[in-house]
């Protein structure tokens, strides 16, 4: 049986669960190991562990989605879900990130995501070419112009009624 490295790192937590029946003592429910432990339980066909850990993951993501608390753990969960090809967990993490994107620290998010999602950097900086700057300062604002005009017209339509 070949396990991904993320699952192999949680294997002692699996053994703690099998021998003691608990996860809290070993710290296995830390955000960075929840998704990997859930995948490990699925691969080794241990449904009780899978249900326990998936309920913790669902609780974490639901709390982050509804109240915005615990957002720092979501990028780590997303990283492991991408690495382990867990589509449902990826989708849930992306929904949380999309809803609370303004509250997340961009540096933490970029550091925890896999490199294949981002282009390679040059000396710690991403290259911004002249057309990126041109788009950001001109075309992007022109694209917003119809939205601003419609917003103004919507407000004036209420005054006419």
């Amino acid at each position: 049986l070949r396990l991904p490295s993320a699952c192999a790192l949680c294997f002692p937590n699996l053994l703690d669960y099998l021998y003691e029946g608990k996860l809290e003592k070993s710290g296995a429910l830390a955000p960075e190991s929840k998704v990997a432990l859930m995948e490990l339980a699925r691969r080794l066909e241990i449904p009780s562990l899978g249900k326990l850990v998936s309920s913790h993951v669902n609780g974490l993501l639901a709390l982050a989605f509804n109240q915005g608390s615990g957002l720092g753990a979501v990028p780590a969960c997303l990283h492991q879900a991408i690495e382990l090809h867990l589509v449902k967990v990826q989708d849930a993490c992306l929904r949380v990130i999309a809803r609370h994107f303004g509250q997340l620290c961009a540096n933490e998010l970029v550091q925890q995501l896999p490199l294949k999602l981002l282009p390679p950097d040059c000396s710690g900086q991403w290259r911004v070419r002249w057309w990126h700057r041109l788009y950001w300062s001109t075309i992007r604002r022109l694209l917003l112009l119809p939205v601003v005009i419609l917003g103004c017209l919507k407000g004036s339509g209420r005054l006419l009624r």
Side-chain angles (χ1 to χ4, degrees), residues 1-72:
L1 178 67
R2 296 184 67 63
L3 296 174
S5 60
C7 291
L9 294 174
C10 311
F11 200 78
N13 299 325
L14 170 76
L15 294 176
D16 287 345
Y17 177 77
L18 290 175
Y19 289 118
E20 298 174 12
K22 295 181 182 178
L23 290 174
E24 292 81 16
K25 185 185 284 187
S26 63
L29 296 180
E32 57 273 0
S33 64
K34 287 181 180 181
V35 177
L37 195 56
M38 185 172 63
E39 175 65 9
L40 187 60
R42 185 191 68 78
R43 287 183 182 219
L44 297 177
E45 298 178 3
I46 306 172
S48 61
L49 177 62
K51 288 178 185 176
L52 177 66
V53 178
S54 66
S55 70
H56 283 279
V57 171
N58 288 337
L60 169 81
L61 294 176
L63 190 64
F65 185 79
N66 295 326
Q67 298 175 3
S69 60
L71 288 174

Side-chain angles (χ1 to χ4, degrees), residues 54-108:
S54 66
S55 70
H56 283 279
V57 171
N58 288 337
L60 169 81
L61 294 176
L63 190 64
F65 185 79
N66 295 326
Q67 298 175 3
S69 60
L71 288 174
V74 176
C77 288
L78 176 62
H79 174 72
Q80 285 192 350
I82 290 171
E83 185 179 316
L84 298 171
H85 307 290
L86 300 173
V87 177
K88 290 180 182 179
V89 178
Q90 286 178 36
D91 292 342
C93 290
L94 289 173
R95 279 195 300 274
V96 171
I97 290 172
R99 182 166 185 175
H100 298 287
F101 191 74
Q103 297 172 7
L104 288 168
C105 177
N107 289 337
E108 290 177 17

